[in-house]
Amino acid sequence: MAKLYFKYGAMGSSKTANALITKFNYEERGMKVWLIKPSIDDRDGADVVRSRIGLEARAQVIRPEVDLFEEFLRHGDCHVVITDECQFFTAEQIDQLRRIVDELSIPVLCFGLRTDFLTRLFEGSRRLFEVADSITEIKTICACGKKAIVNARIDGNGRVVTAGGQILIGGNDSYVAMCHTCWKKAIAEE
């Protein structure tokens, strides 16, 4: 039975590595994978999904106006859909992924962030929490050793930032995973 999976975690929790390992596992068994990512995430190249540990693969870039159900039909021989950075998909696109599961019995595995740097849900993540069959947290730790749940945005001097737009594409130079206690303490110190 096909399901819609949401596997989320803070920055640095190996979400992308997990997505690419999952892709490899399907392909090793002779199955075709449709790997996709939102167009807004272009930090590693427009059509590249790359993990911090060096795994990478080509992916189809999806713009916000693309109907994922219709686009999937053009790839009709795929056995599974794997998405990276799913938090950047629109709510409508998440519903289209849900439709792939429901109407075509194709599993869809979504990997991404739960919240932004101010601990607010992204649109795609919110919709996945509402409609996913399976929700799994991929855990990582704060520098203090506690579980990290905040994607703290930092400036060039390593100070925590609390103003700005919801989306700023970046890696370790722009974000650090923190527990809520350390994040609040860092904000208070600013």
Side-chain angles (χ1 to χ4, degrees), residues 32 34 36 60 70-79:
K32 188 172 178 189
W34 187 37
I36 59 175
Q60 182 174 344
E70 294 299 323
E71 190 67 20
F72 179 80
L73 292 178
R74 290 189 257 290
H75 296 271
D77 58 343
C78 291
H79 297 95

Side-chain angles (χ1 to χ4, degrees), residues 24-187:
F24 174 81
N25 288 338
Y26 273 94
E27 290 174 340
E28 188 176 44
R29 286 158 183 79
M31 297 180 185
K32 188 172 178 189
V33 175
W34 187 37
L35 179 63
I36 59 175
K37 68 180 241 183
S39 60
I40 193 167
D41 178 25
D42 60 0
R43 69 189 145 146
D44 293 318
D47 65 344
V48 176
V49 171
R50 181 178 298 130
S51 73
R52 288 174 302 113
I53 61 170
L55 301 175
E56 70 176 63
R58 295 275 181 215
Q60 182 174 344
V61 176
I62 304 296
R63 300 189 51 75
E65 65 275 5
V66 169
D67 182 314
L68 289 171
F69 185 82
E70 294 299 323
E71 190 67 20
F72 179 80
L73 292 178
R74 290 189 257 290
H75 296 271
D77 58 343
C78 291
H79 297 95
V80 64
V81 178
I82 299 177
T83 77
D84 191 42
E85 304 294 352
C86 63
Q87 72 273 4
F88 297 135
F89 286 131
T90 66
E92 293 78 16
Q93 288 175 316
I94 299 302
D95 288 340
Q96 293 155 7
L97 292 172
R98 176 79 248 179
R99 189 174 170 207
I100 292 169
V101 173
D102 293 342
E103 295 181 24
L104 304 176
S105 292
I106 300 294
V108 176
L109 292 88
C110 299
F111 293 83
L113 298 172
R114 176 180 59 151
T115 58
D116 66 15
F117 73 111
L118 295 174
T119 68
R120 296 193 179 107
L121 287 170
F122 286 99
E123 178 182 351
S125 302
R126 175 180 291 112
R127 191 65 183 139
L128 279 161
F129 274 111
E130 295 167 344
V131 301
D133 296 302
S134 174
I135 300 170
T136 306
E137 181 179 18
I138 302 171
K139 297 174 180 68
T140 192
I141 59 169
C142 177
C144 74
K146 289 186 197 174
K147 183 175 88 164
I149 63 166
V150 178
N151 303 302
R153 187 178 291 171
I154 55 174
D155 65 16
N157 297 315
R159 292 187 303 258
V160 173
V161 176
T162 58
Q166 183 179 45
I167 298 172
L168 172 71
I169 303 299
N172 293 344
D173 59 328
S174 302
Y175 294 96
V176 62
M178 294 181 156
C179 70
H180 199 268
T181 303
C182 287
W183 179 64
K184 293 299 275 186
K185 182 179 176 185
I187 292 170

